[in-house]
Each structure stands twice: as structure tokens, then as C-alpha cells.
Amino acid sequence: MRCALPGRFGERGLCGACHRNPPPFDRVVAPWAYQFPVSALISRFKYQKQRPDGKPLARLFAERLRDAGRTPPQALIPVPMAPSRERRRGFNQAEEIAIWMSRQLNIPVYRQSLTRANHTQTQSGLSRRERLANLKGAYRVRGPVPSHVALVDDVMTTGATVRAASRILREHGAATIEVWVLARTPNT
């Protein structure tokens, strides 16, 4: 299943939306649904600066990936935040997750490969269409991109963020793009 959206899947394991509009990434790995208690831990980690709440989720996720025995990506690329938003929050949750997973999996983190090109409205509360429009031109690539990467974030909702980031990574040489998120919302 390409987008990790729970439900029925048709031809080649694609949901209806992915079949109509194939995403620029190859697959999503999301070990949990974004519901209690995972949603509470992620929310505390992300919005209440409770970093200890995110670390065990990243470690458990890394263990699952390691146990799966799949070919690992060459780099972990955290989804970047707008610099002003990161200053207000004090950290980028995607980068924190990538660093914790990097230590467990021995995969380098390419922190500066993908950058935020412009400040956009926060995605929270926007419809799928608004999210897609909000992210047009939002990302830039700096430096080389390995051929197999994992784009790391905390939660995947509509997929607009990872679509936009994956599109630009693909344009700059990423042949295989996995999206690694702690949780996937069950409805988009």
C-alpha cells in the first residue's frame, strides 16, 4: 500500500486517490494510526515541547524497520519547517525524529538537503486542496540527493506536505523515496 491510508486497495495495492493521482513517493511507512495514545504523545512532543514523549516512538519505529530486514535508504531527510516557526517552537520535530532514528539505524541525516523556500500558512486546519496550494514552491534542494532516501515527518494527514517535498527530491535525483512518519491519520 503506497500511501498507508487504512482501507480497501485495488490494483497494485493503490487506494483510489493514489490510483487516480499517483504520488511522487514510492511508499509510506507509518507504524501507528494517529489516534490515542499515539496522538497524545505526538501532540505533547510537538506542541508542548515534551521531547521525551517523541523519543520512544522513534525508537520503536526504528526497531520495527530494522526487524523488517529491508534495504535501508542512503539518507534520512527531515521535512523542514519555516525558520520563523522553528524558532517559535524551539525545534523541528521531523529533524528530532530523524536524528533519533539515525542513531538506531546507522543511516545519516541530511539536515540541509531539503530546505523551506518560503514561509507558508500552517497546514493544520486546511483542507486537502488548500494544503496543496499552500505548499506550491515551498521547498528547495541544496546539494546532492542520494538515489534512495527516506523523508521523515511526524504525522501524515492528506499527504500534501510529503507530496510537495517528494516531488522536488525526485527532480533532484532521488530514484526511490520512502516516507517515514510516526503516524497516519485514518481519514483524509
Short mmCIF file of all heavy atoms in Angstrom, two decimals, residues 74-129:
data_model
loop_
_atom_site.label_atom_id
_atom_site.label_comp_id
_atom_site.label_asym_id
_atom_site.label_seq_id
_atom_site.Cartn_x
_atom_site.Cartn_y
_atom_site.Cartn_z
N GLN A 74 19.72 5.48 1.83
CA GLN A 74 21.07 6.03 2.00
C GLN A 74 21.07 7.25 2.91
O GLN A 74 22.12 7.61 3.43
CB GLN A 74 21.63 6.41 0.63
CG GLN A 74 21.81 5.22 -0.29
CD GLN A 74 21.95 5.65 -1.72
OE1 GLN A 74 21.01 6.18 -2.32
NE2 GLN A 74 23.12 5.43 -2.28
N ALA A 75 19.92 7.87 3.09
CA ALA A 75 19.85 9.07 3.93
C ALA A 75 18.44 9.27 4.45
O ALA A 75 17.47 8.89 3.80
CB ALA A 75 20.27 10.31 3.13
N LEU A 76 18.35 9.88 5.62
CA LEU A 76 17.09 10.33 6.19
C LEU A 76 17.01 11.84 5.97
O LEU A 76 17.95 12.56 6.33
CB LEU A 76 17.02 10.02 7.68
CG LEU A 76 17.21 8.56 8.10
CD1 LEU A 76 17.12 8.43 9.62
CD2 LEU A 76 16.20 7.67 7.41
N ILE A 77 15.94 12.30 5.39
CA ILE A 77 15.77 13.73 5.13
C ILE A 77 14.54 14.22 5.89
O ILE A 77 13.41 13.85 5.54
CB ILE A 77 15.63 14.02 3.62
CG1 ILE A 77 16.90 13.54 2.88
CG2 ILE A 77 15.36 15.50 3.38
CD1 ILE A 77 16.87 13.73 1.39
N PRO A 78 14.75 15.01 6.95
CA PRO A 78 13.59 15.52 7.69
C PRO A 78 12.85 16.59 6.91
O PRO A 78 13.46 17.40 6.20
CB PRO A 78 14.22 16.11 8.96
CG PRO A 78 15.65 16.34 8.64
CD PRO A 78 16.03 15.42 7.52
N VAL A 79 11.54 16.59 7.02
CA VAL A 79 10.73 17.64 6.39
C VAL A 79 11.06 18.94 7.13
O VAL A 79 10.94 19.03 8.35
CB VAL A 79 9.23 17.32 6.49
CG1 VAL A 79 8.40 18.51 6.03
CG2 VAL A 79 8.90 16.09 5.67
N PRO A 80 11.52 19.96 6.39
CA PRO A 80 11.89 21.22 7.06
C PRO A 80 10.69 22.08 7.43
O PRO A 80 9.62 21.97 6.83
CB PRO A 80 12.75 21.93 6.01
CG PRO A 80 12.25 21.41 4.70
CD PRO A 80 11.77 20.00 4.95
N MET A 81 10.91 22.91 8.42
CA MET A 81 9.91 23.89 8.85
C MET A 81 10.36 25.27 8.40
O MET A 81 11.54 25.49 8.17
CB MET A 81 9.81 23.93 10.38
CG MET A 81 9.29 22.69 11.02
SD MET A 81 9.34 22.82 12.83
CE MET A 81 8.00 23.96 13.12
N ALA A 82 9.43 26.19 8.34
CA ALA A 82 9.80 27.59 8.11
C ALA A 82 10.67 28.03 9.27
O ALA A 82 10.37 27.70 10.43
CB ALA A 82 8.55 28.46 8.03
N PRO A 83 11.77 28.73 9.01
CA PRO A 83 12.68 29.14 10.10
C PRO A 83 11.99 29.88 11.24
O PRO A 83 12.28 29.63 12.40
CB PRO A 83 13.70 30.03 9.39
CG PRO A 83 13.71 29.54 7.98
CD PRO A 83 12.28 29.13 7.70
N SER A 84 11.03 30.76 10.92
CA SER A 84 10.35 31.50 12.00
C SER A 84 9.52 30.56 12.87
O SER A 84 9.48 30.71 14.09
CB SER A 84 9.46 32.60 11.41
OG SER A 84 8.47 32.03 10.57
N ARG A 85 8.88 29.57 12.26
CA ARG A 85 8.08 28.61 13.02
C ARG A 85 8.99 27.73 13.89
O ARG A 85 8.67 27.42 15.03
CB ARG A 85 7.26 27.75 12.06
CG ARG A 85 6.16 26.98 12.75
CD ARG A 85 5.17 26.39 11.78
NE ARG A 85 4.42 27.43 11.09
CZ ARG A 85 4.22 27.48 9.77
NH1 ARG A 85 4.70 26.54 9.00
NH2 ARG A 85 3.54 28.46 9.23
N GLU A 86 10.14 27.34 13.33
CA GLU A 86 11.08 26.52 14.10
C GLU A 86 11.64 27.31 15.29
O GLU A 86 11.78 26.78 16.39
CB GLU A 86 12.22 26.03 13.21
CG GLU A 86 13.12 25.05 13.91
CD GLU A 86 14.13 24.41 12.97
OE1 GLU A 86 13.96 24.46 11.74
OE2 GLU A 86 15.10 23.84 13.50
N ARG A 87 11.90 28.60 15.10
CA ARG A 87 12.39 29.43 16.22
C ARG A 87 11.33 29.51 17.32
O ARG A 87 11.65 29.40 18.50
CB ARG A 87 12.75 30.83 15.73
CG ARG A 87 14.13 30.93 15.11
CD ARG A 87 14.55 32.38 14.89
NE ARG A 87 13.65 33.12 14.02
CZ ARG A 87 13.70 33.11 12.70
NH1 ARG A 87 14.61 32.40 12.07
NH2 ARG A 87 12.85 33.82 11.99
N ARG A 88 10.07 29.69 16.94
CA ARG A 88 8.99 29.77 17.94
C ARG A 88 8.85 28.45 18.70
O ARG A 88 8.67 28.44 19.90
CB ARG A 88 7.66 30.13 17.28
CG ARG A 88 7.46 31.61 17.08
CD ARG A 88 6.01 31.96 16.75
NE ARG A 88 5.41 31.19 15.68
CZ ARG A 88 5.52 31.46 14.38
NH1 ARG A 88 6.24 32.50 13.98
NH2 ARG A 88 4.93 30.71 13.48
N ARG A 89 8.90 27.34 17.97
CA ARG A 89 8.72 26.04 18.60
C ARG A 89 9.98 25.62 19.36
O ARG A 89 9.91 24.90 20.35
CB ARG A 89 8.37 24.99 17.55
CG ARG A 89 8.10 23.63 18.17
CD ARG A 89 7.51 22.66 17.19
NE ARG A 89 6.17 23.08 16.81
CZ ARG A 89 5.53 22.66 15.74
NH1 ARG A 89 6.11 21.80 14.93
NH2 ARG A 89 4.33 23.07 15.47
N GLY A 90 11.13 26.04 18.87
CA GLY A 90 12.39 25.68 19.53
C GLY A 90 13.08 24.48 18.91
O GLY A 90 14.22 24.17 19.24
N PHE A 91 12.41 23.78 18.02
CA PHE A 91 12.98 22.61 17.35
C PHE A 91 12.07 22.21 16.21
O PHE A 91 10.92 22.63 16.13
CB PHE A 91 13.15 21.44 18.32
CG PHE A 91 11.86 20.89 18.87
CD1 PHE A 91 11.30 19.74 18.33
CD2 PHE A 91 11.18 21.52 19.91
CE1 PHE A 91 10.11 19.23 18.81
CE2 PHE A 91 9.99 21.01 20.40
CZ PHE A 91 9.45 19.87 19.85
N ASN A 92 12.60 21.37 15.32
CA ASN A 92 11.82 20.79 14.24
C ASN A 92 11.58 19.33 14.61
O ASN A 92 12.52 18.54 14.71
CB ASN A 92 12.59 20.88 12.92
CG ASN A 92 11.91 20.16 11.78
OD1 ASN A 92 10.95 19.42 11.96
ND2 ASN A 92 12.42 20.37 10.58
N GLN A 93 10.34 18.96 14.84
CA GLN A 93 10.02 17.61 15.29
C GLN A 93 10.47 16.55 14.28
O GLN A 93 10.92 15.47 14.67
CB GLN A 93 8.54 17.45 15.63
CG GLN A 93 7.60 17.47 14.46
CD GLN A 93 7.25 18.86 13.99
OE1 GLN A 93 7.69 19.87 14.55
NE2 GLN A 93 6.45 18.93 12.95
N ALA A 94 10.39 16.83 12.99
CA ALA A 94 10.82 15.87 11.97
C ALA A 94 12.32 15.62 12.07
O ALA A 94 12.80 14.49 11.94
CB ALA A 94 10.45 16.36 10.58
N GLU A 95 13.06 16.68 12.32
CA GLU A 95 14.52 16.54 12.47
C GLU A 95 14.87 15.74 13.72
O GLU A 95 15.76 14.89 13.70
CB GLU A 95 15.17 17.92 12.52
CG GLU A 95 16.68 17.86 12.46
CD GLU A 95 17.28 19.24 12.32
OE1 GLU A 95 16.89 19.98 11.39
OE2 GLU A 95 18.14 19.58 13.15
N GLU A 96 14.16 15.99 14.81
CA GLU A 96 14.39 15.22 16.04
C GLU A 96 14.15 13.74 15.80
O GLU A 96 14.94 12.89 16.20
CB GLU A 96 13.47 15.71 17.17
CG GLU A 96 13.74 17.12 17.64
CD GLU A 96 14.99 17.24 18.48
OE1 GLU A 96 15.20 16.39 19.36
OE2 GLU A 96 15.75 18.20 18.25
N ILE A 97 13.05 13.41 15.14
CA ILE A 97 12.72 12.01 14.85
C ILE A 97 13.82 11.39 13.97
O ILE A 97 14.27 10.27 14.22
CB ILE A 97 11.33 11.91 14.17
CG1 ILE A 97 10.24 12.35 15.14
CG2 ILE A 97 11.08 10.49 13.65
CD1 ILE A 97 8.91 12.66 14.48
N ALA A 98 14.23 12.12 12.95
CA ALA A 98 15.28 11.62 12.04
C ALA A 98 16.58 11.36 12.79
O ALA A 98 17.24 10.34 12.57
CB ALA A 98 15.50 12.60 10.89
N ILE A 99 16.95 12.25 13.68
CA ILE A 99 18.19 12.08 14.46
C ILE A 99 18.09 10.84 15.34
O ILE A 99 19.02 10.03 15.39
CB ILE A 99 18.50 13.35 15.28
CG1 ILE A 99 18.90 14.49 14.35
CG2 ILE A 99 19.58 13.07 16.33
CD1 ILE A 99 18.93 15.85 15.01
N TRP A 100 16.98 10.69 16.04
CA TRP A 100 16.82 9.51 16.91
C TRP A 100 16.85 8.23 16.10
O TRP A 100 17.47 7.24 16.50
CB TRP A 100 15.52 9.61 17.70
CG TRP A 100 15.47 10.70 18.72
CD1 TRP A 100 16.52 11.18 19.46
CD2 TRP A 100 14.33 11.45 19.12
NE1 TRP A 100 16.09 12.17 20.30
CE2 TRP A 100 14.75 12.37 20.11
CE3 TRP A 100 13.00 11.44 18.75
CZ2 TRP A 100 13.89 13.26 20.73
CZ3 TRP A 100 12.13 12.33 19.36
CH2 TRP A 100 12.57 13.22 20.34
N MET A 101 16.19 8.22 14.94
CA MET A 101 16.17 7.02 14.10
C MET A 101 17.54 6.76 13.49
O MET A 101 17.95 5.61 13.35
CB MET A 101 15.09 7.14 13.04
CG MET A 101 13.70 7.13 13.66
SD MET A 101 12.37 7.16 12.45
CE MET A 101 12.41 5.45 11.92
N SER A 102 18.24 7.81 13.14
CA SER A 102 19.58 7.68 12.58
C SER A 102 20.51 6.94 13.53
O SER A 102 21.28 6.07 13.12
CB SER A 102 20.15 9.08 12.29
OG SER A 102 21.52 9.01 11.99
N ARG A 103 20.42 7.28 14.79
CA ARG A 103 21.25 6.62 15.81
C ARG A 103 20.93 5.13 15.92
O ARG A 103 21.81 4.32 16.15
CB ARG A 103 21.08 7.31 17.15
CG ARG A 103 21.66 8.70 17.18
CD ARG A 103 21.41 9.40 18.49
NE ARG A 103 21.87 10.76 18.43
CZ ARG A 103 21.35 11.76 19.12
NH1 ARG A 103 20.35 11.54 19.96
NH2 ARG A 103 21.84 12.98 19.00
N GLN A 104 19.68 4.79 15.77
CA GLN A 104 19.25 3.39 15.88
C GLN A 104 19.58 2.58 14.63
O GLN A 104 19.89 1.40 14.72
CB GLN A 104 17.74 3.32 16.14
CG GLN A 104 17.29 3.94 17.42
CD GLN A 104 17.76 3.16 18.63
OE1 GLN A 104 17.57 1.97 18.71
NE2 GLN A 104 18.42 3.83 19.55
N LEU A 105 19.50 3.22 13.48
CA LEU A 105 19.62 2.51 12.21
C LEU A 105 20.95 2.74 11.49
O LEU A 105 21.20 2.14 10.45
CB LEU A 105 18.47 2.92 11.28
CG LEU A 105 17.07 2.59 11.80
CD1 LEU A 105 16.01 3.25 10.92
CD2 LEU A 105 16.87 1.09 11.87
N ASN A 106 21.76 3.65 12.04
CA ASN A 106 23.05 3.98 11.42
C ASN A 106 22.89 4.46 9.97
O ASN A 106 23.59 4.01 9.06
CB ASN A 106 24.02 2.79 11.51
CG ASN A 106 25.45 3.22 11.32
OD1 ASN A 106 25.81 4.35 11.65
ND2 ASN A 106 26.26 2.34 10.79
N ILE A 107 21.95 5.36 9.79
CA ILE A 107 21.70 5.99 8.49
C ILE A 107 21.92 7.49 8.69
O ILE A 107 21.36 8.07 9.62
CB ILE A 107 20.26 5.74 8.00
CG1 ILE A 107 19.98 4.24 7.87
CG2 ILE A 107 20.01 6.45 6.67
CD1 ILE A 107 18.52 3.91 7.61
N PRO A 108 22.71 8.14 7.83
CA PRO A 108 22.95 9.56 8.04
C PRO A 108 21.71 10.43 7.82
O PRO A 108 20.84 10.08 7.02
CB PRO A 108 24.04 9.91 7.00
CG PRO A 108 23.92 8.85 5.96
CD PRO A 108 23.41 7.62 6.66
N VAL A 109 21.67 11.53 8.54
CA VAL A 109 20.60 12.52 8.38
C VAL A 109 21.15 13.64 7.51
O VAL A 109 22.19 14.21 7.81
CB VAL A 109 20.14 13.09 9.74
CG1 VAL A 109 19.07 14.17 9.54
CG2 VAL A 109 19.63 11.98 10.65
N TYR A 110 20.46 13.94 6.44
CA TYR A 110 20.82 15.06 5.56
C TYR A 110 19.92 16.24 5.94
O TYR A 110 18.89 16.46 5.34
CB TYR A 110 20.62 14.68 4.10
CG TYR A 110 21.71 13.82 3.50
CD1 TYR A 110 22.31 12.78 4.21
CD2 TYR A 110 22.13 14.04 2.20
CE1 TYR A 110 23.29 12.00 3.64
CE2 TYR A 110 23.11 13.25 1.62
CZ TYR A 110 23.68 12.24 2.35
OH TYR A 110 24.65 11.46 1.77
N ARG A 111 20.34 16.97 6.96
CA ARG A 111 19.51 18.05 7.51
C ARG A 111 19.32 19.22 6.56
O ARG A 111 18.30 19.88 6.60
CB ARG A 111 20.13 18.58 8.79
CG ARG A 111 20.15 17.61 9.90
CD ARG A 111 20.74 18.24 11.12
NE ARG A 111 21.23 17.19 11.99
CZ ARG A 111 21.70 17.41 13.18
NH1 ARG A 111 21.75 18.63 13.66
NH2 ARG A 111 22.11 16.40 13.92
N GLN A 112 20.33 19.50 5.76
CA GLN A 112 20.27 20.69 4.92
C GLN A 112 19.94 20.40 3.46
O GLN A 112 19.92 21.30 2.64
CB GLN A 112 21.60 21.45 5.00
CG GLN A 112 21.94 21.92 6.40
CD GLN A 112 20.88 22.83 6.98
OE1 GLN A 112 20.34 23.69 6.30
NE2 GLN A 112 20.55 22.63 8.25
N SER A 113 19.68 19.14 3.11
CA SER A 113 19.39 18.80 1.72
C SER A 113 18.09 19.41 1.24
O SER A 113 17.98 19.85 0.11
CB SER A 113 19.33 17.28 1.53
OG SER A 113 20.60 16.73 1.62
N LEU A 114 17.10 19.43 2.10
CA LEU A 114 15.80 19.97 1.76
C LEU A 114 15.55 21.15 2.69
O LEU A 114 15.65 21.01 3.91
CB LEU A 114 14.72 18.89 1.96
CG LEU A 114 13.31 19.22 1.51
CD1 LEU A 114 13.24 19.41 0.00
CD2 LEU A 114 12.37 18.10 1.94
N THR A 115 15.25 22.29 2.12
CA THR A 115 15.01 23.50 2.93
C THR A 115 13.66 24.09 2.57
O THR A 115 13.10 23.82 1.50
CB THR A 115 16.10 24.57 2.72
OG1 THR A 115 16.11 24.95 1.34
CG2 THR A 115 17.47 24.04 3.12
N ARG A 116 13.19 24.92 3.46
CA ARG A 116 11.92 25.61 3.25
C ARG A 116 12.23 26.87 2.44
O ARG A 116 13.00 27.72 2.89
CB ARG A 116 11.32 25.95 4.61
CG ARG A 116 9.88 26.27 4.61
CD ARG A 116 9.06 25.07 4.18
NE ARG A 116 7.67 25.42 4.14
CZ ARG A 116 6.73 24.74 4.75
NH1 ARG A 116 7.02 23.68 5.45
NH2 ARG A 116 5.49 25.14 4.66
N ALA A 117 11.65 26.98 1.26
CA ALA A 117 11.93 28.12 0.38
C ALA A 117 11.16 29.36 0.78
O ALA A 117 11.62 30.47 0.55
CB ALA A 117 11.60 27.75 -1.06
N ASN A 118 9.98 29.17 1.36
CA ASN A 118 9.20 30.34 1.76
C ASN A 118 8.33 29.99 2.95
O ASN A 118 8.09 28.82 3.25
CB ASN A 118 8.33 30.85 0.59
CG ASN A 118 7.38 29.80 0.06
OD1 ASN A 118 6.91 28.94 0.78
ND2 ASN A 118 7.10 29.87 -1.23
N HIS A 119 7.88 31.01 3.62
CA HIS A 119 7.01 30.82 4.77
C HIS A 119 5.59 30.59 4.26
O HIS A 119 5.10 31.34 3.42
CB HIS A 119 7.06 32.05 5.68
CG HIS A 119 6.22 31.89 6.90
ND1 HIS A 119 6.62 31.14 7.97
CD2 HIS A 119 4.99 32.36 7.20
CE1 HIS A 119 5.67 31.16 8.89
NE2 HIS A 119 4.68 31.90 8.45
N THR A 120 4.96 29.55 4.75
CA THR A 120 3.59 29.27 4.36
C THR A 120 2.72 29.23 5.61
O THR A 120 3.23 29.12 6.72
CB THR A 120 3.49 27.90 3.63
OG1 THR A 120 3.99 26.89 4.50
CG2 THR A 120 4.25 27.90 2.33
N GLN A 121 1.45 29.28 5.38
CA GLN A 121 0.48 29.13 6.47
C GLN A 121 0.63 27.72 7.05
O GLN A 121 0.95 26.78 6.33
CB GLN A 121 -0.90 29.34 5.86
CG GLN A 121 -2.05 29.22 6.79
CD GLN A 121 -3.37 29.47 6.04
OE1 GLN A 121 -3.38 29.88 4.90
NE2 GLN A 121 -4.46 29.21 6.72
N THR A 122 0.40 27.56 8.34
CA THR A 122 0.45 26.22 8.92
C THR A 122 -0.59 25.33 8.25
O THR A 122 -1.68 25.78 7.91
CB THR A 122 0.24 26.27 10.46
OG1 THR A 122 0.38 24.96 10.97
CG2 THR A 122 -1.11 26.82 10.84
N GLN A 123 -0.25 24.06 8.05
CA GLN A 123 -1.13 23.13 7.36
C GLN A 123 -2.32 22.71 8.21
O GLN A 123 -3.36 22.35 7.69
CB GLN A 123 -0.34 21.87 6.95
CG GLN A 123 0.74 22.15 5.90
CD GLN A 123 0.16 22.37 4.53
OE1 GLN A 123 -0.20 23.49 4.18
NE2 GLN A 123 0.06 21.32 3.76
N SER A 124 -2.16 22.75 9.51
CA SER A 124 -3.21 22.34 10.42
C SER A 124 -4.47 23.16 10.17
O SER A 124 -4.43 24.38 10.13
CB SER A 124 -2.74 22.51 11.86
OG SER A 124 -3.72 22.09 12.76
N GLY A 125 -5.59 22.48 9.99
CA GLY A 125 -6.86 23.16 9.79
C GLY A 125 -7.20 23.46 8.34
O GLY A 125 -8.31 23.91 8.05
N LEU A 126 -6.28 23.20 7.41
CA LEU A 126 -6.56 23.44 5.99
C LEU A 126 -7.14 22.19 5.34
O LEU A 126 -6.81 21.07 5.72
CB LEU A 126 -5.27 23.84 5.25
CG LEU A 126 -4.56 25.12 5.69
CD1 LEU A 126 -3.31 25.34 4.86
CD2 LEU A 126 -5.49 26.32 5.59
N SER A 127 -7.94 22.40 4.32
CA SER A 127 -8.47 21.27 3.54
C SER A 127 -7.34 20.72 2.67
O SER A 127 -6.29 21.34 2.52
CB SER A 127 -9.62 21.74 2.63
OG SER A 127 -9.10 22.56 1.59
N ARG A 128 -7.59 19.57 2.07
CA ARG A 128 -6.58 18.95 1.21
C ARG A 128 -6.20 19.90 0.07
O ARG A 128 -5.03 20.10 -0.22
CB ARG A 128 -7.11 17.63 0.64
CG ARG A 128 -6.08 16.89 -0.17
CD ARG A 128 -6.63 15.56 -0.66
NE ARG A 128 -5.60 14.64 -1.09
CZ ARG A 128 -4.81 14.81 -2.12
NH1 ARG A 128 -4.89 15.90 -2.84
NH2 ARG A 128 -3.91 13.91 -2.45
N ARG A 129 -7.19 20.49 -0.58
CA ARG A 129 -6.93 21.43 -1.70
C ARG A 129 -6.13 22.64 -1.22
O ARG A 129 -5.18 23.08 -1.87
CB ARG A 129 -8.25 21.87 -2.31
CG ARG A 129 -8.05 22.86 -3.45
CD ARG A 129 -9.32 23.12 -4.17
NE ARG A 129 -9.60 21.88 -4.90
CZ ARG A 129 -10.74 21.59 -5.48
NH1 ARG A 129 -11.73 22.44 -5.42
NH2 ARG A 129 -10.92 20.47 -6.13
#
